[in-house]
Amino acid sequence: MAKKFFVKRAEVSNEGFRYRGLTSTRLENLTDAIFGFAITLLVIASQVPKTYVELQASMYSFIGFVFCIMLLLGLWNNHNSFFLHYGLQDKITKTLNFLFLFVLLFYVYPLKYLFSYLGTSIYARIMLSLGDNSEALRLVIGDLQGASMDSAQWKDLMIRFGLGLFFMYLFMFLMHLNALKRKVALELSLREVFITKTFIQAFAILIGITIVSMLIVILFGGESAAISGFAYLLVPVLLLTHRSYRNKKMKSLFDD
């Protein structure tokens, strides 16, 4: 009985969605390899420290590196969930997936630059407030001052960052929309159709947030870059609200 329970759990999600992509494909293997390569680029893009002070200074970028990895792993998890749920290998899915990977690789350096700058700035300010006056911190502050950007550059960077996220979320949105159009071929149940629609809605929310963020700097200039960045704090708020709504709706539709 225990064996049957674990098999069932492996084939059906907690929400009752039957997994159709339990077998890994060449397309998924290629995607995993490119995600791994993207993470590698985040590491090798940094210079190898030549002195111990430079090694200490490199630790100040740790926060930015963590945020980069979290974002990439979040994208990977969304991508993995799609293929696990639907297991599609049609031409539209392959084309959208290739476009997704292209943007991902192009997106790595703007992603690293932004998060490295912000993460290092935040950590340096924290250490300064704690009384740190080390040679490593002075080296970091000097690098930050040398990398200081003007208003036009901040505007350009936030637009580049937003466009990268916009297109990757858009491709995931279209992949789920394509899956919904193939609901008959995939034999999706009414519950699975509803869940698919909520996936589409979630990606629409993410796309909307990237648009809002870019519009802020487009309309108000690089001086509003901080506000543009804070717009992404809407992501957990709106997604949690949406998840709460979908869970209540699904319970009322299918569990009564």
Side-chain angles (χ1 to χ4, degrees), residues 82-93:
F82 171 81
F83 281 95
L84 184 61
H85 280 99
Y86 306 103
L88 283 171
Q89 294 289 312
D90 59 291
K91 291 182 179 180
I92 294 178
T93 299

Side-chain angles (χ1 to χ4, degrees), residues 1 6-7 10 25 33 38-39 81 92 105 127 159 161 185 217 235 238 242:
M1 181 178 291
F6 286 113
V7 169
T25 65
I39 293 174
S81 295
I92 294 178
L105 288 176
M127 297 308 294
I159 291 175
F161 178 77
V217 290
V235 169
L238 295 183
H242 176 260

Side-chain angles (χ1 to χ4, degrees), residues 63-120:
I63 294 178
F65 180 76
V66 169
F67 283 136
C68 286
I69 296 298
M70 288 176 61
L71 182 55
L72 288 179
L73 291 181
L75 290 168
W76 176 86
N77 185 63
N78 289 332
H79 185 278
N80 178 67
S81 295
F82 171 81
F83 281 95
L84 184 61
H85 280 99
Y86 306 103
L88 283 171
Q89 294 289 312
D90 59 291
K91 291 182 179 180
I92 294 178
T93 299
K94 289 180 180 178
T95 300
L96 291 171
N97 188 72
F98 291 147
L99 291 171
F100 175 90
L101 296 178
F102 173 80
V103 174
L104 173 66
L105 288 176
F106 190 77
Y107 179 62
V108 169
Y109 286 119
L111 173 70
K112 179 176 174 59
Y113 186 87
L114 177 61
F115 279 116
S116 293
Y117 185 88
L118 294 178
T120 303

Side-chain angles (χ1 to χ4, degrees), residues 134-196:
S134 64
E135 184 179 352
L137 179 57
R138 292 196 296 271
L139 178 61
V140 168
I141 293 175
D143 290 340
L144 288 172
Q145 291 174 343
S148 180
M149 294 181 289
D150 59 27
S151 175
Q153 290 171 329
W154 270 112
K155 176 181 177 180
D156 180 71
L157 180 59
M158 294 307 297
I159 291 175
R160 289 176 186 269
F161 178 77
L163 282 174
L165 283 180
F166 169 82
F167 281 112
M168 282 189 285
Y169 290 143
L170 176 63
F171 294 141
M172 291 302 302
F173 171 89
L174 294 175
M175 287 165 68
H176 281 84
L177 192 61
N178 179 55
L180 182 61
K181 291 180 179 179
R182 296 177 179 272
K183 61 183 178 182
V184 175
L186 291 171
E187 298 180 351
L188 297 181
S189 66
L190 292 177
R191 175 187 287 267
E192 291 169 336
V193 168
F194 174 81
I195 293 174
T196 301

Side-chain angles (χ1 to χ4, degrees), residues 225-234:
I227 300 175
S228 174
F230 282 129
Y232 290 103
L233 294 178
L234 291 171

